[in-house]
Amino acid sequence: MNDIYTITETLRDRAAALAPFIGRTPLFPITRLHSNPNVKIFAKLEWQQLSNSVKARAAYNIISNAIKEGHIDQEKGIIDASSGNTAVAYATIGANLGIPVTLCVPENASQQKKSALKALGAHIVYTSRFGTTDEAQAKARSLAAEYPDRYYYTDQYANEYNWKAHFNGTGPEIWEQTQGKITHYVAGLGTTGTFIGTSRRLKQFNPDISVISLQPDSAMHGLEGWKHLESALVPRIYDDTVADRNLFIDTMEAYDLIRRTAQLEGLLLSPSSAANLAGALQVAQTLEEGVIVTIFPDHASNYPEILEHIL
């Protein structure tokens, strides 16, 4: 018993030591892609934290709380479904803490992501390239049920520590960084944690802040990490009463914006970051004045094949 207690305390200490490297990302002003000087657009550069994406927030909150609650240790690890930034965040944090990480990943995930996961020591269980992350979720759930002593199923799509990472982190950061002047918050839906958690907290600060969710405009889209909710499994943490409005983003519009943002703002955006910016620009066109904040989940360097094609 004392050995288990000591191991748990050691993991808690290690997790606490990682906290300064999660969140606290800067707001970047978007100045040359729109013309109304009375409308300000800012984006949080989420790649400026551990694992280089917004998913560090949720992955850290999920893992650190799983340690506190005694769900995992250095023998019993986590299992979840992801082929993107959450997978890399889990693997990064798991490697640092010495926790086993198993990820159910569709076979058609990008080679760069698969290589990164292997380098970080994660165990990969491949699922059908035709099943998307929905099938991968089912596989992770099945393995956790079959081997309960080996895996703790973190289930990012249903885990409240996902959205609470943004409720306690992203939302207060935005409020403080804009000195309470934010009027509109715009973000895409994937696991939905970023949008739901941040929006709920911003509404606590000021109920008049307009929160606008974004989705791809079709089921067959090219925005990795985003969900077209009408054609996908809806995450359990999603709350359809939170958004004041919903906008739909065309993939090609987002891809075109990658090139324009590189040339005019000096930022190399990922497709999801560009899609968030596209939504923010749509909102800006409807305003006479205001302060819009959106999220840049990650950087174009995570998508070299897309960058080479577009630029």
Side-chain angles (χ1 to χ4, degrees):
M1 184 67 180
N2 289 334
D3 289 342
I4 295 174
Y5 178 81
T6 301
I7 289 171
T8 301
E9 286 298 299
T10 300
L11 285 176
R12 288 179 182 176
D13 291 344
R14 287 182 183 174
L18 281 183
F21 304 98
I22 306 297
R24 301 170 183 84
T25 55
L27 281 186
F28 187 91
I30 302 299
T31 59
R32 298 187 62 197
L33 287 167
H34 68 106
S35 58
N36 185 346
N38 296 318
V39 176
K40 309 296 183 184
I41 299 177
F42 297 94
K44 278 185 79 62
L45 304 185
E46 290 293 287
W47 58 74
Q48 293 194 12
Q49 61 183 315
L50 191 68
S51 82
N52 304 315
S53 85
V54 67
K55 296 301 185 179
R57 295 178 184 266
Y60 176 77
N61 206 37
I62 288 170
I63 290 176
S64 61
N65 280 284
I67 292 170
K68 292 175 185 176
E69 294 169 4
H71 296 303
I72 57 178
D73 53 39
Q74 289 171 313
E75 298 297 327
K76 181 178 179 178
I78 66 167
I79 188 170
D80 208 345
S82 174
S83 60
N85 288 326
T86 302
V88 175
Y90 277 146
T92 301
I93 295 167
N96 186 280
L97 300 181
I99 293 171
V101 174
T102 299
L103 296 159
C104 296
V105 176
E107 289 177 330
N108 60 339
S110 75
Q111 186 57 51
Q112 183 179 14
K113 287 290 195 308
K114 291 186 285 190
S115 297
L117 296 178
K118 291 176 182 176
L120 290 164
H123 175 61
I124 304 174
V125 176
Y126 289 110
T127 58
S128 169
R129 66 178 57 243
F130 305 108
T132 70
T133 54
D134 294 346
E135 182 179 319
Q137 287 178 65
K139 183 65 174 179
R141 191 179 302 113
S142 172
L143 286 171
E146 186 175 357
Y147 303 104
D149 295 332
R150 186 185 305 174
Y151 301 124
Y152 172 64
Y153 180 33
T154 48
D155 194 3
Q156 61 169 321
Y157 295 95
N159 195 314
E160 289 201 343
Y161 289 122
N162 182 334
W163 69 263
K164 286 180 178 178
H166 302 282
F167 183 87
N168 294 318
T170 315
E173 288 173 28
I174 290 172
W175 180 256
E176 180 180 346
Q177 289 170 319
T178 63
Q179 299 178 318
K181 295 178 181 179
I182 178 176
T183 60
H184 296 74
Y185 171 65
V186 183
L189 299 177
T191 67
T192 75
T194 304
F195 178 79
I196 295 298
T198 306
S199 295
R200 282 176 173 160
R201 191 57 179 271
L202 290 174
K203 286 288 192 179
Q204 279 192 354
F205 288 124
N206 179 1
D208 292 331
I209 295 172
S210 181
V211 297
I212 300 108
S213 67
L214 308 174
Q215 290 185 54
D217 62 1
S218 69
M220 301 299 291
H221 63 88
L223 302 175
E224 183 175 322
W226 280 34
K227 276 185 177 287
H228 181 257
L229 294 185
E230 290 185 7
S231 60
L233 287 177
V234 177
R236 280 172 51 195
I237 60 173
Y238 178 61
D239 180 350
D240 64 5
T241 69
V242 171
D244 294 310
R245 277 192 287 161
N246 301 279
L247 297 178
F248 293 88
I249 304 299
D250 176 73
T251 295
M252 297 314 298
E253 176 187 357
Y255 279 20
D256 179 65
L257 198 51
I258 293 174
R259 183 186 300 108
R260 292 173 56 209
T261 306
Q263 295 171 350
L264 295 177
E265 303 287 351
L267 293 176
L268 292 172
L269 301 184
S270 66
S272 60
S273 295
N276 275 347
L277 180 55
L281 291 171
Q282 284 188 33
V283 172
Q285 291 173 0
T286 69
L287 303 178
E288 293 185 3
E289 61 181 10
V291 176
I292 302 167
V293 177
T294 190
I295 303 291
F296 285 170
D298 63 348
H299 192 267
S301 59
N302 287 344
Y303 309 88
E305 69 286 351
I306 293 176
L307 195 63
E308 182 178 356
H309 175 72
I310 293 174
L311 301 179

